[in-house]
């Protein structure tokens, strides 16, 4: 299910690339047609008017894939680790989807697609679908379209979806609300020993991966992370984050990462945490869609006189901004 398939009929290729026939696209995506998957994700990314139809058609397949997030600072080896995880998952017979979020241009909104370049090993594997997505200025290390893109890959029959974030900082932790299991990658010599005692991205990990473990300082990084975990307060039965070493460039430690993911999945299911996380994810999706619709309606008011009239009253002191906001919401509700 790679993103590019050779020797397909030209007419069929063109029809899928331009199609907005949602039932046909979903049917072909379910059959493993990578072009149909690509077209559905494109409709999601562009916010096409048929997006509600896409969501309705994919709803029956929600929750059928295990979603694993990979995050960490730039240069820790996220793409290399993702590439090797795909190899390990394929050896188990899983169909795998990868959403690699790349930084976007502030001028065109496009992405360099560097993550896909690093995953060419799987480009011709029909059991793997790799999609690079531009963050388009969205904060949190993801793209605003990522949750719906995950649903497309679930609908396409992926058993596991790997979501690789942009190289992120301490406050960009959105992937934790999307993934069933979150991997935080660190590397020796990049300041992670100091960051281990600070709030932020390191608090979201279900599994810590100390990559490039052949470098000097790897032992110190592992000790610092383990010390941070020991300081955390946990009740009986609560998950204790695992710490795994790897050298992804040589394929070493990948089985240990996969085993840690499996262990966390077992804990999620045993403690009913998987259901809770997925319900929280769905709530966040619904809220984001509702807020987006609300912003669009407020934007439409800018073309009329209602918002301008309220703004003028606030500016001259005849109305306070909270009362003006209440009036605006009342108009939207009407």
């Amino acid at each position: 299910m790679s993103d590019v398939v050779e020797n397909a009929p030209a007419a069929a290729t063109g029809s899928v690339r331009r199609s907005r026939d949602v039932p046909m696209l979903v049917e072909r995506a379910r059959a493993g047609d990578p072009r149909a998957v690509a077209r559905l994700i494109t409709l999601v990314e562009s916010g096409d008017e048929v997006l509600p139809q896409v969501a309705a058609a994919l709803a029956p397949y929600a929750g059928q894939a295990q979603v694993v997030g990979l995050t960490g600072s730039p240069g820790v080896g996220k793409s290399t680790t993702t590439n090797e995880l795909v190899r390990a998952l394929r050896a188990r017979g899983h169909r795998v989807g990868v959403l690699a979020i790349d930084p976007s241009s502030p001028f065109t909104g496009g992405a360099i697609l560097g993550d896909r370049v690093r995953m060419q090993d799987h480009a011709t594997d029909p059991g793997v679908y790799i999609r690079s997505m531009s963050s388009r200025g969205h904060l949190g290390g993801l793209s605003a379209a990522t949750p719906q893109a995950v649903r497309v890959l679930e609908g396409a029959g992926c058993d596991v979806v790997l979501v690789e974030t942009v190289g992120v900082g301490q406050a960009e932790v959105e992937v934790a609300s999307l993934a069933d299991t979150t991997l935080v990658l660190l590397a020796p010599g990049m300041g992670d020993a100091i960051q281990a005692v600070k709030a932020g991205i390191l608090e979201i990990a279900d599994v810590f991966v100390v990559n490039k473990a052949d470098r000097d300082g790897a032992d110190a990084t592992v000790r610092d992370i383990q010390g941070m975990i020991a300081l955390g307060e946990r009740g009986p039965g609560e998950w204790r984050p695992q710490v795994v070493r790897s050298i992804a460039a040589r394929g070493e430690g990948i089985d240990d990462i996969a085993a840690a993911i499996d262990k966390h999945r077992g804990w999620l299911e045993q403690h009913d945490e998987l259901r809770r996380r997925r319900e929280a994810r769905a709530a966040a999706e619904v809220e984001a869609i509702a807020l987006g619709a609300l912003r669009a309606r407020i934007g439409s008011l800018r073309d009329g006189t209602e918002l301008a009239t309220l703004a003028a009253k606030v500016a001259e002191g005849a109305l306070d901004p909270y009362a003006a906001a209440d009036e605006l919401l009342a108009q939207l509700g009407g």
Side-chain angles (χ1 to χ4, degrees), residues 8-173:
T13 299
S15 64
V16 169
R17 284 178 177 169
R18 294 187 294 270
S19 177
R20 296 168 76 248
D21 182 345
V22 173
M24 181 271 289
L25 289 172
V26 171
E27 180 182 355
R28 294 184 66 166
R30 294 287 297 166
D33 183 345
R35 292 191 178 89
V37 178
R39 180 59 179 155
L40 286 169
I41 295 180
T42 297
L43 292 174
V44 166
E45 282 195 281
S46 63
D48 193 279
E49 62 182 17
V50 300
L51 184 52
Q53 298 176 42
V54 174
L58 294 173
Y61 312 110
Q64 296 186 8
Q66 181 179 8
V67 183
V68 178
L70 297 92
T71 190
S73 303
V76 296
K78 294 189 298 297
S79 295
T80 306
T81 301
T82 300
N83 187 64
E84 294 303 317
L85 271 176
V86 170
R87 195 186 312 279
L89 291 167
R90 289 295 293 140
R92 296 181 177 187
H94 293 314
R95 297 180 73 180
V96 183
V98 178
L99 295 175
I101 316 302
D102 277 308
S104 58
S105 165
F107 304 104
T108 66
I112 195 171
L113 309 186
D115 291 322
R116 176 134 29 134
V117 172
R118 298 188 185 100
M119 298 181 203
Q120 285 300 305
D121 294 352
H122 309 290
T124 58
D125 185 344
V128 179
Y129 182 89
I130 301 171
R131 175 74 173 226
S132 290
M133 300 176 68
S134 166
S135 64
R136 302 192 181 187
H138 184 77
L139 300 178
L142 300 178
S143 161
T146 306
Q148 292 302 317
V150 168
R151 291 187 178 276
V152 171
L153 293 181
E154 286 183 316
C158 290
D159 301 301
V160 182
V161 177
L162 303 177
V163 180
E164 180 193 331
T165 74
V166 179
V168 297
Q170 287 177 298
E172 295 169 307
V173 296

Side-chain angles (χ1 to χ4, degrees), residues 207-211 213 222 242-246 253-261:
V207 179
F208 289 101
V209 179
V210 179
N211 192 33
V222 171
Q242 306 288 291
V243 183
V244 181
R245 300 172 187 246
S246 69
I254 302 303
D255 289 341
D256 293 334
I257 297 173
I261 294 171

Side-chain angles (χ1 to χ4, degrees), residues 79-334:
S79 295
T80 306
T81 301
T82 300
N83 187 64
E84 294 303 317
L85 271 176
V86 170
R87 195 186 312 279
L89 291 167
R90 289 295 293 140
R92 296 181 177 187
H94 293 314
R95 297 180 73 180
V96 183
V98 178
L99 295 175
I101 316 302
D102 277 308
S104 58
S105 165
F107 304 104
T108 66
I112 195 171
L113 309 186
D115 291 322
R116 176 134 29 134
V117 172
R118 298 188 185 100
M119 298 181 203
Q120 285 300 305
D121 294 352
H122 309 290
T124 58
D125 185 344
V128 179
Y129 182 89
I130 301 171
R131 175 74 173 226
S132 290
M133 300 176 68
S134 166
S135 64
R136 302 192 181 187
H138 184 77
L139 300 178
L142 300 178
S143 161
T146 306
Q148 292 302 317
V150 168
R151 291 187 178 276
V152 171
L153 293 181
E154 286 183 316
C158 290
D159 301 301
V160 182
V161 177
L162 303 177
V163 180
E164 180 193 331
T165 74
V166 179
V168 297
Q170 287 177 298
E172 295 169 307
V173 296
E174 188 176 349
V175 67
S177 65
L178 175 69
D180 300 325
T181 299
T182 302
L183 309 184
V184 172
L185 276 69
L186 310 100
M190 299 187 68
D192 292 313
I194 296 174
Q195 305 304 334
V197 297
K198 297 174 69 175
I201 191 172
L202 293 177
E203 294 183 331
I204 68 171
D206 298 306
V207 179
F208 289 101
V209 179
V210 179
N211 192 33
K212 305 182 182 181
D214 53 340
R215 290 185 175 182
D216 292 340
D219 291 341
T221 300
V222 171
R223 283 196 303 271
D224 288 328
I225 298 304
Q226 289 175 333
M228 181 200 72
I229 293 171
L231 291 173
E233 295 184 1
R234 292 178 180 81
E238 288 190 30
W239 174 252
R240 181 184 176 90
Q242 306 288 291
V243 183
V244 181
R245 300 172 187 246
S246 69
I247 309 173
R250 300 206 298 250
E252 297 179 12
I254 302 303
D255 289 341
D256 293 334
I257 297 173
I261 294 171
D262 290 342
K263 185 175 182 180
H264 184 247
R265 175 62 180 247
W267 177 85
L268 289 172
E269 293 175 342
Q270 180 182 352
H271 293 82
D272 200 31
E273 182 69 11
L274 186 61
R275 178 194 58 80
R276 190 199 68 78
R277 289 194 180 195
R278 290 184 172 180
E279 288 181 358
R281 182 195 312 169
E285 283 186 70
V286 172
E287 181 181 6
I289 293 169
L291 288 174
L294 186 60
R295 290 191 191 99
R297 294 181 66 180
I298 290 175
S300 68
L301 290 179
R302 291 182 180 275
D303 298 329
T305 61
E306 296 90 343
L307 185 57
T309 300
L310 289 172
K313 289 181 179 180
V314 171
E316 66 187 19
L319 193 65
D320 70 85
Y322 286 94
D326 286 340
E327 285 194 31
L328 181 63
L329 289 173
Q331 293 180 25
L332 290 173

